[in-house]
Amino acid sequence: MARMRAVDAACLILEKEGATQLFGLPGAAINPFYSAVRAHGGLKHVLARHVEAASHMAEGFTRAKAGNIGVCVGTSGPAGTDMITGLYAASADSIPILALTGQAPVAKLQKEDFQAVDIASIAAPVTKWAVTVMEGGQVPGTFQRAFWLMREGRPGPVLIDLPIDVQLTEIEFDIDAYEPLPVARPAATRAQAEKALAMMNAAERPLIVAGGGIVSAEASDLLVELAEVTGVPVIPTLMGWGTIPDNHHLMAGMVGLQTSHRYGNATMLASDFVMGVGNRWANRHTGSVEVFAKDRTFVHIDIEPTQIGRVFAPDLGIVSDARAALEQLVAVAREQQADGTLPDRTVWAEECRQRKATMQRKTNFDAVPIKPQRVYQEMNKAFGPDTRYVSTIGLSQIQAAQLLHVFKPRHWINAGQAGPLGWTVPATLGVATADPEATVVALSGDYDFQFLIEELAVGAQFKIPYIHVLVNNAYLGLIRQAQRGFEMDYCVQLSFDNVNAEGDAPAGYGVDHVKVVEGLGCKAIRVTEPDEILPALETAKKLLVEFEVPVVVEVILERVTNVSMGTEIDNVVEFEELAAAGEDAPTATVALLD
């Protein structure tokens, strides 16, 4: 057995568990851990500018690649409380990240020591486990349990709080004798798969709803196989977008009050059976249960038992890892295909494709100031199927989901349930750190962009290049649209006359993002004409390679745009003219039938 400090053991465990990328900020109470990181040499570290940003970077890193677990690190007191938003975002979307915080000495925890706060209690509601380690000998077991919990069942974050004296305690530890705890996942039985397919086969107009659990389980290939064998169209949720390519003939569109397609909602309303796999029935997807569930039979498959029946009671609930369930479903479906007992879904699938070919939104606007729809049209032209998109919340994210195209899992990375403003910049840095060879494209409105804008300096310092499309209307656009129901436009304008504005900075748009971005060591391009968007995106690609820093393409939009949304999936309001001919939506995945 080797004798070492508890933090030296922690570093060895991190590496053996596969968590080799850290995002964080040192401080007095966490410096012993940083000394161990320095001595160990096998852990990479990105220095964030804000601890909340470090937690979002860790989440982006985790979500970019199967098996990744991002680690965020901070000192005692406010570092831990700053992490809470990141832990909430990760918890809400079932993303495993490990948060490590320093803490006052054990003897001082009840004596109001400087920056001593009960972070374990504060973090408990937004983690799978939050613990303050009170003995150095407990550090190996605590880390071992943390990694097991993050992976077991529904994934999620864990926080480990390390008092400074616990970090420095010498313990006996042998990394060669350490092994990660085995992870067991519930698996659907053949009988359950047979029952679910029997219900599907009895329906006339069935659908499969594909959730983010399919992404977490690396099961997109099986989802597509099940759809193709059965001929049943697929509706991905926002978290499951990319599990089936947007141009697949059985991709029937997304459903919801905001991030949805017209044809997706119409197809859901026409269906009589829905099998949900790895999804939560989130309210932005369903609207009211009365409308969403009316006259439909439901099967719900999820890894977390308490998710079954949480929103509404399905006709059949199956607790299972998504991959395990899809393996059983595909096996049974292939047997039924071989013996000729699978129903022919050709007519129903063709009806869904017809809706996709006729119910499209217009994107080809030439107006100045630029209409946002045109931005997504040009992004579809500029970026190929391997592009990884990252976004969080707001009209920009909603409209992107309506108009962009995603072709692979983990290529749309979005803060789904929590939607914290400021998430996009740091999360994108995490994604680009995890996959440095990829084309990574962030999308923000101006308000989200300004929340944690300082993190662009991290991309400049550590050479983490990505393209950030910034759509600027100098408004809290989503909140302004929501305020229409109150007949007000109150406290939502970001516009002002900038006394330092010069050059092509638009009058009245407030913050000069180009100057700020350049001051943080990155590159920026401003666009004011619709025909300039595509050339600017192409230039951004070149700057990315030349300078290896984030490149921001700011598009100056019209001040007010009301984006398609509604109160129910059968009551989504379209504020703009719809596509009437192919030239109205030239980048649609299916050519419009005039």
Side-chain angles (χ1 to χ4, degrees), residues 1-6 9 136-137 140 169-175:
M1 295 285 282
R3 191 159 183 83
M4 64 185 73
R5 298 176 305 171
T169 302
E170 288 199 349
I171 62 172
E172 298 289 341
F173 180 70
D174 184 355
I175 190 61

Side-chain angles (χ1 to χ4, degrees), residues 18-276:
T20 57
Q21 180 65 58
L22 315 179
F23 304 89
L25 289 84
I30 197 64
N31 271 341
F33 175 77
Y34 272 90
S35 73
V37 171
R38 179 176 180 270
H40 179 71
L43 304 175
K44 299 176 183 178
H45 185 273
V46 168
L47 178 65
R49 298 305 193 260
H50 192 295
V51 188
E52 179 189 339
S55 65
H56 298 323
M57 290 176 194
E59 183 182 349
F61 181 84
T62 295
R63 292 176 63 165
K65 184 179 179 182
N68 277 6
I69 291 185
V71 182
C72 60
V73 187
T75 190
S76 57
T81 56
D82 283 345
M83 290 180 186
I84 295 300
T85 298
L87 291 168
Y88 164 43
S91 176
D93 288 344
S94 306
I95 307 299
I97 66 171
L98 177 61
L100 302 178
T101 54
Q103 181 58 277
V106 170
K108 297 290 187 72
L109 291 182
Q110 303 300 322
K111 299 181 184 296
E112 296 188 0
D113 202 45
F114 178 66
Q115 292 189 338
V117 66
D118 186 359
I119 192 61
S121 295
I122 294 170
V126 289
T127 57
K128 291 189 75 173
W129 187 39
V131 58
T132 298
V133 185
M134 305 298 281
E135 299 286 345
Q138 292 183 318
V139 167
T142 299
F143 274 75
Q144 189 178 42
R145 183 167 189 259
F147 279 97
W148 173 73
L149 273 173
M150 284 188 282
R151 295 167 174 147
E152 180 84 359
R154 179 183 178 182
V158 166
L159 180 139
I160 299 177
D161 186 42
L162 297 167
I164 191 168
D165 52 336
V166 171
Q167 296 177 58
L168 292 167
T169 302
E170 288 199 349
I171 62 172
E172 298 289 341
F173 180 70
D174 184 355
I175 190 61
D176 294 329
Y178 177 95
E179 289 297 330
L181 293 173
V183 174
R185 293 186 174 89
T189 64
R190 180 181 174 88
Q192 288 173 321
E194 289 174 346
K195 176 65 175 176
L197 283 174
M199 295 169 68
M200 177 185 283
N201 293 344
E204 295 182 9
R205 300 174 301 281
L207 291 173
I208 300 169
V209 167
I214 295 175
V215 178
S216 298
E218 287 290 287
S220 298
D221 56 337
L222 289 169
L223 167 73
V224 174
E225 185 177 359
L226 179 64
E228 290 176 345
V229 170
T230 61
V232 174
V234 175
I235 297 280
T237 68
L238 187 63
M239 296 299 293
W241 195 13
T243 51
I244 186 169
D246 269 6
N247 59 357
H248 194 285
H249 67 282
L250 289 171
M251 199 290 198
M254 285 195 286
V255 168
L257 307 182
Q258 297 175 339
T259 54
S260 60
H261 301 109
R262 296 179 63 225
Y263 48 87
N265 280 346
T267 289
M268 175 60 73
L269 291 166
S271 69
D272 62 357
F273 169 89
V274 178
M275 178 188 290

Side-chain angles (χ1 to χ4, degrees), residues 411-430:
H411 282 57
W412 171 262
I413 295 177
N414 178 89
Q417 182 177 339
L421 286 164
W423 186 90
T424 308
V425 171
T428 307
L429 290 169

Side-chain angles (χ1 to χ4, degrees), residues 441-485:
V441 179
L443 175 68
S444 285
D446 45 313
Y447 199 44
D448 168 61
F449 188 67
Q450 290 174 21
F451 257 60
L452 290 169
I453 194 172
E454 77 285 342
E455 302 306 316
L456 287 172
V458 176
Q461 178 180 356
F462 291 92
K463 299 292 186 183
I464 309 172
Y466 75 92
I467 295 173
H468 201 125
V469 178
L470 166 61
V471 286
N472 181 6
N473 63 358
Y475 246 123
L476 279 66
L478 178 58
I479 309 307
R480 178 208 55 76
Q481 186 167 341
Q483 285 187 354
R484 294 171 72 248

Side-chain angles (χ1 to χ4, degrees), residues 271-344:
S271 69
D272 62 357
F273 169 89
V274 178
M275 178 188 290
V277 183
N279 67 304
R280 294 185 299 109
W281 310 119
N283 68 306
R284 287 202 302 166
H285 170 79
T286 64
S288 71
V289 171
E290 290 73 20
V291 172
F292 185 80
K294 184 179 180 181
D295 299 327
R296 286 172 201 90
T297 300
F298 285 86
V299 171
H300 189 198
I301 302 170
D302 196 84
I303 196 169
E304 171 53 49
T306 63
Q307 286 293 331
I308 307 296
R310 181 184 290 267
V311 178
F312 60 87
D315 298 274
L316 174 65
I318 299 173
V319 178
S320 176
D321 169 74
R323 185 166 191 88
L326 288 166
E327 285 173 344
Q328 289 280 13
L329 290 164
V330 167
V332 174
R334 286 214 171 275
E335 291 177 12
Q336 294 177 351
Q337 182 186 48
D339 63 24
T341 57
L342 272 182
D344 184 347

